[in-house]
Amino acid sequence: MRHHRFRTQLICVLFLVCNFVCHEKCLKTVASFCSGVALQLIKNPVAHSWSEPGHIKRHFCCVCRKKTDDSNCVECEVCEYYVHVDCQDLAVSDCKEAATFVPSLDKSSQVQHHHMREGNLPKDSKCIVCKKLCSAESCLAGMRCEWCGQTAHSTCYRKMENECDFGLLKKIMLPPNSLTIPRTELPMEQLLNIHRGQREGGISPSKIAPDEVSASSADDPKEREDTELLRIFDGNNSLRTQVYRTVSVQKTASVQQIRDAALRRFHIQDTPELYYVTQVVNEEGAEELLEDPVPLRNVKRPEGRRAQIFLRYKDDPEKTVVKVYGGWLRIPVTFCSLTVTKETLVQEVISEALSKFGIEKMTWNRYNLIEVSLDRGVAERTVNPQENMLQLVRNLRKDSLRRYHVVRFYLQEKEDPHDHAVFVGNMPVSLAQRQYERILLKLLGAKEKPFTAIGPIYFEYGSLVITFNTPKAASAAVQRLQNAVYEDKKLIVLCLPNVQPHMLAKNVEPLLVLVNVKSGGCQGVNLIRSFRKLLNPFQVFDVLKGGPLVGLYVFRNIPKYKILACGGDGTIGWVLQCLDIAKQDAACFSPPCGIVPLGTGNDLSRVLRWGGGYTGEENPLDILKDVIEAEEVRLDRWAVVFHEEERSQPPTGQPEPSHGDPTMNNPEDQTSMIIMNNYFGIGIDADVCLKFHNKRDANPERFTSRIFNKAQYVKIGLNKFFDRSCKDLWKRIEVEVDGKVIELPNIEGIIVLNLLSWGSGANPWGTAREDAQFQKPTHSDGLLEVVGISDVSRLGMIQSKLAAGIRIAQGESIRITTHEEWPVQVDGEPHVQPPGTITILKSALKAKMLKKVKKSRRNTAPATPQQMRAVQSEGSPSTSGVHPSSNLMVEHQLTHGKSTPDELHGPDEDEEGDAFL
C-alpha cells in the first residue's frame, strides 16, 4: 500500500495531508506514496526551482491531490511538479537529476533511468504498456517520465523498461551522465540561472498575522470561547526568527492533546511518546514543563500575544541512531543505520558507513559527510570530521524539529571533477587582464588571488571566467560578488556547469538553447520554461543573464552541437557575433544555428522557413523536432566599414554601440565596422527607422503593443510626405559596385540586401523573374543586391508587398561616398552617419544556419501519442518591440495579412518563381 495507512472506509488516515482515497478492490494496485512520508523516501534529493505564486489552471497539487485552480500555487520550472503554497512544506525535492557524472564510472556502466511523475498528464495521453488512455481530467492519475515523456497507468508503469532513452529528443539531449555541477551551497536556481526578486528557495512559513487568520476558523462564538489559539515553536531557531505555527485547542485540553496537535501542525509522523511540550516564559527563551490536568489554566500569556509553546524531543544523552546515505556514490544500498555515542566523531561515522557500503574503510579521509536539508529546497553543509556526531544531532533537534526530520547525512567524495568556473559579467569593457584582476581582488576583499586562473576574457563585453580549486572557494566568491556593484553597475555572476564530452554518444549533437526572454512581448518567458522541462535544464540559457557567451563557454568542449536562438533579428546577430568571439577556443568551430522568431521583423527567420513570428500556440516539442530534422545551410556575412571625414565635433544623434552590436571602433582614424547579416539602408527607410527608435527610447513604456508600434510607424511614414529631407539623395551620394560607379535613378533611399526578406517579410528586389542583367539572388551566393526607393509612397507599397523597389545593381562589394550626414541602418539598428565613405565587403566570418525542412519533404512517420509531450501555452502575449523596418501600411496588413505560416516564409534559393507579391 506504498506507505499509506487506511481506515476501513479506505481513506488514508493522514487525510489532512494526503487526501488519498481508493476503492477496497483497488488496494493492491496503489502505487503512489503517501504525502506525509514521501519526503523521507527520496534517494537523491534535487531541489525544485519554484515559480512565483499564482493561479494555475487545469492541474492538481502533487501533495494534497486537489485542484490548483482556487488558491495560490507554484510550479517547478524544470519538471512537472505543481503544489499549493500551503502544501509546499511537504513538497518532495525530487526534481530532474540533470547532472549525474561520476568519474569512477565509464560511459558503458552509466544508465539513465526513467524519472516518473504522477498525474497532470497531457490530454489524450496513452499508456505505453496497455495502449489505453491514461490521462484524467478529474483527479491526479497516471505516470509520466520527465525525460522521455512516455506515459502509463499507475498500475502499468512498473512493467516499463527501467532504462530511459530520452525518446524523440535523444539526438539533441545533453545527457545528465555527461554533466557535473559544482558541489556548493548555492541554491539550484542560481546554478540554473533562474532569478526572481521576491523569493529565495521557496516561500517562507507565513508569520503575517497568523493569530487573526486562525481565529477566523471558528465561526461559532461559543466555540471560540471554548478554544484557545497557541503559538507553537519547533525549536530555538524558530523562536529567534519568530517563525511559528498556530494551533487551536480546547481550553481544557491535556498536555497529550496539545502535543499531538503540535505534531500534526508540523507534519511530524513519528512516535508521539518521543515528544513533549513546554511553555516559553520570557523573551530569552526560558521554558517550563506543562503539567496536567488543565495545563492551559496557568500558562503564561505575554501582553497582547498568544501563549507560546515549545515542541521538544526527548533526547537520550548517551546515544542515538543516525542514517547515512550513499546517494551520489551510486551504490545499490540506499542508506545504513549507525548507533553513535558521546565519544563518536564524524570521521568514525564516515569509516563505519563506508564499511557497511562495501567500500574500503581505510579511505575515509577521501570522503566528506554532507548535511543535506530538504526543508523547502535542498541546502548542503560539509560537516567537520572532528565534530561530535551525537552533539550534532542533538543540536539539530533543539534548533528545529521540523528541519531535523528533513535533514539527511550523505557520504560524498572529496575529489570533485568540476573545474569550478564562475562567470563574471557587466564589468568595464576593453581593460587589460591586470586591471580586471585588481577589480576582482578589490570586490572579493582579498590580498592574494583566491582563484587559480582567469580567462577567457571577453574584452568587448567586459565579461570573463575565473576558475577555483575548491567548491567552497567558488561558492564564497559567488556569494560575495553576486551583490557587488562596480561603476554603478551590478555584476552578473554565474556558477557554471561542466560538460564531459567523452560521455556523449557519437550520434548525439546536444542543442544549446539561447532565449531572449524579453523578445516578442516577453513570450520568451513561457518558451524558456517549456524548453527547460523538455530538455536538460543546463542546456537552456537566458541571454539577458550574461549573454550568449555563457552558454557558448559551457559547450566549448563539445565537438559537435547545434544552437537554437530564440529572439528577434538583433538577438540572432548577437548570438552570431558572440560565436565569432568564442569559436577560437572551442572544439566546434561553427555550430549550425536555428531560430525561434520572437521579434517583429524576423527576416532571417522567414528566409530559413522558421516563420514570421512565434505566436505562443506552437508546441515547443514540435519546434525541437524541426531542429532535429533541419538541414544545414551557409549564410553570407558582410563587413560594413564606416570611415568618417575629419571632423572637430561628434555628429548629432550618433548613439553609443550597444552590447549586442557587432561593432569595432578605431577612435584615431574615426573608422568603425559593423557585421551585417540581413541588410543595410541609407536615406528614407533609415530615417523612418531612426525617428521611430528615438520616439521609443523617449517613452519605452508606451511601446508595448505590436499594433501600437506599427501605428507609430505609419504616423512617422505619413509625416515623411511633408518632410522631404532625403529628397535628391541620388544627386548627393556616390555609389560604386565592384569598383564601378553606378548612375543612380531619381531615388530617396537605398537598400543593400543580403536576404530576400526585409521589413517584416517584404521583398524590395521583387520576383525572381527572368533577368539577363542579374543572377538569381540567395543568402549564400556571395552577392549583394542594391535596390532604390523612389519616395515614401513606394516605401509603403514595398512594405505592404504591393510593389518592388528599383533594381540598381548586384555585386560583391559596395562603396558609398557621402559629403553630409545621412541616417543609415544596419540590420535594423539606425544612427546618423557623418560624411565619409561606407564600404560593404564580404566578411571572413562565416555562419552555418539551420533551415527548416518543408513539410512535404519531411519524413512524416507519425509519433505515437505516448511519445508526445504536450506543452501548454498560456496564450500569445503582445509584442513589446517592433522591427525597425515594420510595415508603414498597417491598415492594409490588417485586412490582407498572411494567414498561414508557410505564406510568411521567404523565397528559397532552389525554388524558381517564389515571391512575396
Side-chain angles (χ1 to χ4, degrees), residues 323-371:
K323 292 179 179 179
V324 179
Y325 289 76
W328 303 292
L329 300 181
R330 309 296 170 189
I331 55 178
V333 181
T334 303
F335 66 87
C336 64
S337 297
L338 306 175
T339 301
V340 297
T341 65
K342 292 188 295 183
E343 290 77 27
T344 306
L345 300 179
V346 169
Q347 67 183 42
E348 297 175 82
V349 171
I350 296 174
S351 179
E352 189 175 349
L354 288 173
S355 179
K356 292 201 172 188
F357 289 150
I359 302 173
E360 178 57 51
K361 63 188 296 185
M362 298 303 294
T363 61
W364 70 267
N365 55 351
R366 291 171 46 193
Y367 296 85
N368 282 326
L369 187 68
I370 308 296
E371 177 188 306

Side-chain angles (χ1 to χ4, degrees), residues 29 53 59 87 162 172 180 203 223 307 312 375 389 419 444 481-482 495 575 693 699 892:
T29 64
H59 287 87
C87 298
N162 290 329
I172 58 173
T180 60
I203 303 165
E223 185 178 350
R312 294 295 195 184
D375 187 19
M389 194 66 195
D419 59 3
L444 289 170
L481 292 174
Q482 64 184 354
C495 206
V575 170
H693 274 250
N699 298 285
H892 177 84

Side-chain angles (χ1 to χ4, degrees), residues 275-309:
Y275 298 84
Y276 64 98
V277 288
T278 63
Q279 64 168 315
V280 183
V281 295
N282 57 35
E283 296 293 335
E284 287 72 33
E287 53 188 307
E288 293 179 357
L289 278 172
L290 290 178
E291 298 181 357
D292 282 329
V294 187
L296 295 183
R297 181 176 299 168
N298 300 316
V299 74
K300 297 183 183 299
R301 297 172 179 82
E303 185 176 352
R305 290 191 292 177
R306 305 290 181 182
Q308 301 183 128
I309 305 296

